[in-house]
Amino acid sequence: MIDVRNMTKKYGKLAANDNINLSVGSGELAVLLGPNGAGKSTLIKSVCGLLRFQGAITIDGHENHTVEAKRILGYVPEFPVLYPMLTVSEHLEFIAKAYRLEAWEEKGEALLRRFELDDKKMKLGKELSKGMQQKVSVCCALLPQPKAIIMDEPLVGLDPHGIRELKAVIAKLRDRGCALLVSTHMIESVEEDWDITYIMDKGRIARVCRRTDLAAGQRLEDEYFTITEGKSQEDTP
Amino acid sequence: MNSLVFLLVRSARNSLLELRRKPAKLLLWVLVLAGIGGIFLLSLFTRQSAAGSLDIVWLKGILFLFILLFVVIAIQKGLANGDVIFDMNDVNLLFVSPVSSRLILMYGIVRMAKMAFLMGFFILFQSNSLSQGFGVGFDAVLLVLLGYMLAVGVLQILSLLIYSLANGKPRRKLAVRMLAVAAFLPIIAYAGVQLIGTSDLLPALENTLRSPLSAWTPVAGWASAGVVSLISGDMGNGFLFFGLLVLSGVLLILYIAWSNPDYYEDVLVATETAFEKKRGLAEGQINSEASSTKKVKVAKTGIGGLGTSTIFYKHLRESFRANRLGLWGVSSIIMVLGTTLFSFFLRGVDGGTLILLQILMWMQIFMIGTGRGLKELYMHYIYLIPESSFRKIVWSNLEIAFKVLVESVAAFGIAGLIMGEPVWLVAAAIVVYTLFSFLLLGINYLSLRWTGADISAGLLIFIYTIMVIVIMLPGLISAIVLGSMIEGIGVLIGLGVLALWELLAALGCFALSKGVLHHLDMPVMRTGK
């Protein structure tokens, strides 16, 4: 569903992403791990068509800038940016009308209820806390029921309830056949549900790890530290 | 003390060293300095002529109003959050360090003075206007800059003091408001009496500006009177009023330093607010409404349209919620009022409408970016909406097109009535101005398409400005040449040629920037945070 081939993104001489190859199939949860500055957000923005790049990125076989690709793609940015003068409800209405969605109201209501935003429907974007803004951002991305969803650090700023609900939503979406690419620093938050992990370091994919690749008792966190620091966490004093 | 000197010196040194790694920034600084040097050299070889110049009392009036604007801002800031004289890193590192709070205050004030100086740079570029308007030289421009810096410096400290005294105390806030009004009441009353006496706006204003009341009005009066006195060679009054500014600044600093050494809490809110604003900008929130504390009443809700047109209806909803006049906010009112006031001065002047058109077109070069259409580019939504890129651009700029059209009809219509200009000239000015805005949008998208937005905002604005000049030049030359060849209706022909050029050039720019949403990196405001 999400296919990245030989993708390179340079800022001047600096290669933020260097010859990246990545794919996420339908019903798969792919996790993007890496230290700060590894190039995760650059990769995610490039997949969503927000940055120029060299190489090829397709969504369900469509080049990522096409209308067909955009129609089936959902994006939760790293920093939730809402329109300060629109209410929470109007954010959903804007997405619904811009995406030409039909009978969206009930789905919208259900999303707002799920993220405890139903009593904030008339609040303006600027009146919401960062965590609330993040929840609205998630609702906007999920409303069109995309087949592929990209989330950049979606759990940052959420309260415990929000984290629990989002994790449940992610698991449900995966079960329904949605392809998910999620970048996070909170390794333990995806420990239960991940299918494939791409560990990035210095702009490159340093390791592709499938759940089946791990030995019994081995944790994703150990694999991460082995790749990024050359040792597992158990070895650290 | 050593640590603070170290901070100032090392920060300045690192800023200079940074230029070695950022050639674009270095080029900008070289061009700015070369521009100022060029203006200075030009002024040495240009003889100032008083013939045809306006009386210098009007310069005093302009300065008075200009600084009055800063007075109002300073009082408002003082009553809200106080002024920003520290950065968040000062709060996190300096405030908790074992350095005297009074010394830290001095450090903040030194840095603030540096900022006031940098902000005043644009005054140096007004040399030509001042020379043409008032027959003064570059030395006068430096005096205007000095007066501006002194006034802004005093006002920033005043703002801090107001916050420190009135924060959380409604009675004191009321007292500050009353005192502020009381300070300007005499001159307002005097102007009113003069207006009743003369029944004419301009003589009334002139008499008011010549009265001692205007010179003794705090800050705005002192600065404007100080500058104009020194330009006119009246050293005594010049030093007196500049001395008053310096003395009041020193007294305010001493009062804050000795009465309230524990001022950290007073500056914290302003510093944090400024920091959040910068962080918001860097994260893509460039709508000024996001950081506004103004209470907004949500009455009507809902967004019309379907597909790309939803973007336009969303803009309507946002604008009408942000202010009652909808698309035409405070900036529109200021533009129309400013044009109206200026047209009184231009009554009877040959080509008054053309002068107004020229000024408004210059302003529009930088005002066009305030439209919601261009701001959409800093957020991800417009890129992800599954519709054609071209249609998204068109619908997202419809709001600014309506805004400009109505603004120009009001501004040129009223000015035309005041100046007694023929209807055809007013209509031609409206068409030229509106099409110019259309062209500016095209140039904005073309400069983004060409650079991919992968450069600093400052350099992008520089490239955009150069492109505006280069693209407009053939049209302007053709308009002037063709217009001057024909007797009688030459002006109309000239404006017609210019309008046609603007339309063709705009269409060309939009055509060349095709697919801009797919060929740029989503722009980011680099705030240095």
Side-chain angles (χ1 to χ4, degrees):
Chain A
M1 178 63 72
I2 301 170
D3 210 26
V4 179
R5 288 282 159 259
N6 307 317
M7 180 270 189
T8 295
K9 171 67 189 172
K10 283 187 176 175
Y11 292 104
K13 288 176 187 167
L14 175 80
N17 286 161
D18 189 5
N19 198 33
I20 301 281
N21 285 285
L22 171 152
S23 68
V24 187
S26 297
E28 255 187 356
L29 169 57
V31 178
L32 209 51
L33 294 179
N36 293 333
K40 302 185 297 293
S41 291
T42 304
L43 172 59
I44 279 183
K45 282 181 184 161
S46 300
V47 173
C48 293
L50 304 177
L51 299 178
R52 293 168 299 159
F53 55 86
Q54 293 163 305
I57 297 176
T58 56
I59 311 292
D60 198 18
H62 305 288
E63 194 266 316
N64 71 336
H65 285 121
T66 58
V67 171
E68 290 77 18
K70 289 174 196 290
R71 197 164 284 136
I72 53 172
L73 183 72
Y75 169 54
V76 180
E78 184 181 6
F79 306 113
V81 182
L82 301 186
Y83 294 104
M85 284 294 143
L86 290 192
T87 63
V88 169
S89 284
E90 284 167 344
H91 275 86
L92 294 188
E93 189 178 354
F94 169 59
I95 295 295
K97 291 193 169 167
Y99 280 67
R100 299 175 190 270
L101 304 180
E102 286 172 6
W104 58 274
E105 289 86 351
E106 272 188 33
K107 289 172 204 154
E109 286 286 335
L111 278 169
L112 293 180
R113 262 197 311 277
R114 173 147 218 172
F115 286 99
E116 295 184 316
L117 288 168
D118 44 340
D119 60 336
K120 307 269 185 309
K121 281 189 285 189
M122 293 297 279
K123 285 268 180 198
L124 294 174
K126 71 170 194 162
E127 294 170 344
L128 300 175
S129 67
K130 268 277 186 285
M132 292 287 181
Q133 289 186 13
Q134 181 72 336
K135 287 178 180 180
V136 177
S137 195
V138 171
C139 292
C140 287
L142 298 182
L143 187 65
Q145 294 187 300
K147 288 182 184 171
I149 300 180
I150 322 267
M151 298 183 175
D152 197 354
E153 301 283 357
L155 303 175
V156 172
L158 291 184
D159 55 23
H161 176 86
I163 291 176
R164 190 186 67 189
E165 288 306 314
L166 186 57
K167 281 169 69 177
V169 165
I170 287 173
K172 201 171 168 186
L173 286 166
R174 190 192 62 166
D175 295 342
R176 278 189 192 164
C178 191
L180 291 121
L181 176 62
V182 179
S183 126
T184 184
H185 282 300
M186 300 179 193
I187 302 176
E188 70 287 352
S189 66
V190 289
E191 194 86 57
E192 292 164 29
D193 300 310
W194 67 279
D195 296 299
I196 183 166
T197 295
Y198 292 89
I199 300 176
M200 291 189 71
D201 197 20
K202 294 170 187 158
R204 290 173 158 262
I205 302 260
R207 171 93 156 95
V208 183
C209 181
R210 291 204 160 265
R211 186 178 274 277
T212 48
D213 296 342
L214 293 188
Q218 192 185 3
R219 293 181 308 156
L220 184 57
E221 199 174 38
D222 299 329
E223 190 64 17
Y224 174 78
F225 284 114
T226 307
I227 297 297
T228 55
E229 296 177 10
K231 56 188 172 188
S232 70
Q233 207 182 32
E234 282 169 11
D235 299 335
T236 54
Chain B
M1 182 66 181
N2 279 342
S3 56
L4 297 175
V5 174
F6 171 81
L7 261 182
L8 281 170
V9 173
R10 189 49 70 98
S11 301
R13 183 171 159 252
N14 287 349
S15 299
L16 282 173
L17 288 176
E18 190 195 26
L19 295 179
R20 288 202 313 203
R21 292 194 308 276
K22 294 191 172 173
K25 204 172 179 179
L26 178 66
L27 179 72
L28 268 182
W29 270 107
V30 169
L31 285 172
V32 167
L33 292 174
I36 293 167
I39 289 165
F40 173 67
L41 287 174
L42 204 66
S43 69
L44 289 181
F45 298 106
T46 312
R47 188 184 297 169
Q48 278 86 46
S49 164
S53 302
L54 291 169
D55 193 308
I56 198 138
V57 77
W58 295 116
L59 176 62
K60 187 178 173 186
I62 292 168
L63 283 175
F64 187 94
L65 283 177
F66 184 57
I67 293 166
L68 183 64
L69 183 72
F70 285 88
V71 173
V72 174
I73 293 170
I75 293 169
Q76 276 183 339
K77 273 185 178 175
L79 292 171
N81 295 328
D83 213 336
V84 184
I85 66 167
F86 292 103
D87 276 341
M88 209 58 203
N89 41 15
D90 298 324
V91 170
N92 292 340
L93 299 172
L94 271 182
F95 284 16
V96 292
S97 71
V99 178
S100 153
S101 59
R102 290 186 181 115
L103 288 177
I104 292 175
L105 180 64
M106 294 305 137
Y107 161 80
I109 287 166
V110 169
R111 279 196 24 190
M112 184 187 71
K114 187 182 84 179
M115 288 308 295
F117 176 72
L118 290 176
M119 284 192 302
F121 248 34
F122 76 96
I123 289 173
L124 296 175
F125 288 99
Q126 305 308 311
S127 178
N128 192 36
S129 314
L130 289 176
S131 171
Q132 280 187 350
F134 303 101
V136 294
F138 195 71
D139 47 348
V141 181
L142 290 177
L143 286 170
V144 172
L145 177 64
L146 181 65
Y148 162 85
M149 282 169 58
L150 285 174
V152 170
V154 170
L155 289 170
Q156 280 180 308
I157 304 162
L158 179 70
S159 172
L160 180 62
L161 180 68
I162 291 174
Y163 182 77
S164 155
L165 292 175
N167 178 31
K169 298 183 178 81
R171 279 189 179 182
R172 285 191 179 185
K173 283 189 178 181
L174 182 67
V176 169
R177 284 196 185 99
M178 286 171 72
L179 272 173
V181 172
F184 289 91
L185 211 54
I187 192 164
I188 294 168
Y190 189 83
V193 170
Q194 288 298 317
L195 190 61
I196 292 164
T198 58
S199 304
D200 202 344
L201 183 66
L202 289 184
L205 280 176
E206 189 175 345
N207 291 347
T208 310
L209 288 169
R210 290 192 192 283
S211 75
L213 268 176
S214 78
W216 287 98
T217 302
V219 191
W222 301 343
S224 55
V227 171
V228 171
S229 300
L230 287 175
I231 292 173
S232 317
D234 182 358
M235 296 298 171
N237 268 333
F239 285 123
L240 171 70
F241 289 115
F242 272 15
L244 259 177
L245 281 172
V246 175
L247 183 69
S248 52
V250 170
L251 288 176
L252 288 174
I253 292 169
L254 287 176
Y255 181 80
I256 294 170
W258 297 110
S259 69
N260 182 18
D262 190 19
Y263 60 86
Y264 288 172
E265 189 186 329
D266 297 335
V267 297
L268 200 58
V269 176
T271 311
E272 281 175 344
T273 307
F275 177 74
E276 282 302 323
K277 203 171 171 181
K278 278 182 183 176
R279 190 159 69 178
L281 281 172
E283 290 175 359
Q285 185 53 275
I286 68 163
N287 285 298
S288 55
E289 292 132 1
S291 53
S292 162
T293 51
K294 190 178 140 193
K295 284 271 174 206
V296 178
K297 195 179 162 194
V298 177
K300 281 186 185 171
T301 57
I303 296 169
L306 193 66
T308 42
S309 65
T310 316
I311 302 171
F312 171 63
Y313 286 100
K314 177 183 76 71
H315 288 165
L316 287 185
R317 173 62 63 223
E318 290 174 288
S319 294
F320 275 90
R321 195 163 281 154
N323 76 77
R324 283 178 196 164
L325 290 168
L327 302 181
W328 303 282
V330 179
S331 64
S332 310
I333 295 167
I334 291 172
M335 179 210 167
V336 174
L337 285 180
T339 311
T340 305
L341 189 68
F342 201 57
S343 56
F344 276 109
F345 288 94
L346 292 172
R347 257 190 312 193
V349 175
D350 201 22
T353 297
L354 296 183
I355 295 171
L356 268 185
L357 180 63
Q358 188 190 336
I359 294 168
L360 291 180
M361 281 168 78
W362 268 112
M363 284 168 60
Q364 188 67 345
I365 293 176
F366 302 101
M367 292 295 287
I368 199 83
T370 58
R372 292 186 190 275
L374 285 168
K375 285 182 186 169
E376 286 286 351
L377 297 177
Y378 289 80
M379 301 166 98
H380 65 277
Y381 302 99
I382 197 164
Y383 300 89
L384 291 172
I385 292 172
E387 296 279 343
S388 116
S389 172
F390 178 72
R391 281 207 296 269
K392 284 191 275 190
I393 295 283
V394 170
W395 281 102
S396 72
N397 285 297
L398 216 54
E399 169 246 8
I400 189 99
F402 275 122
K403 184 176 187 285
V404 167
L405 181 64
V406 175
E407 271 178 3
S408 61
V409 168
F412 288 109
I414 295 170
L417 279 175
I418 293 167
M419 294 188 288
E421 296 281 27
V423 175
W424 62 262
L425 184 61
V426 172
I430 292 168
V431 172
V432 168
Y433 181 75
T434 307
L435 285 175
F436 182 62
S437 303
F438 182 45
L439 171 63
L440 291 178
L441 284 173
I443 297 175
N444 257 298
Y445 285 109
L446 185 59
S447 50
L448 284 166
R449 172 79 167 81
W450 184 49
T451 60
D454 186 20
I455 52 172
S456 71
L459 190 61
L460 189 63
I461 291 170
F462 178 70
I463 290 171
Y464 156 75
T465 313
I466 296 292
M467 281 174 76
V468 172
I469 293 167
V470 170
I471 291 172
M472 277 300 285
L473 219 51
L476 282 169
I477 292 169
S478 314
I480 292 166
V481 170
L482 287 171
S484 57
M485 281 163 64
I486 302 158
E487 288 279 319
I489 55 166
V491 174
L492 185 61
I493 297 287
L495 288 175
V497 168
L498 190 59
L500 187 65
W501 173 255
E502 286 172 345
L503 180 64
L504 292 175
L507 290 173
C509 287
F510 275 106
L512 288 171
S513 58
K514 190 170 177 253
V516 61
L517 292 180
H518 302 164
H519 292 92
L520 62 86
D521 290 350
M522 187 172 81
V524 175
M525 280 280 176
R526 290 172 193 170
T527 57
K529 292 287 139 195

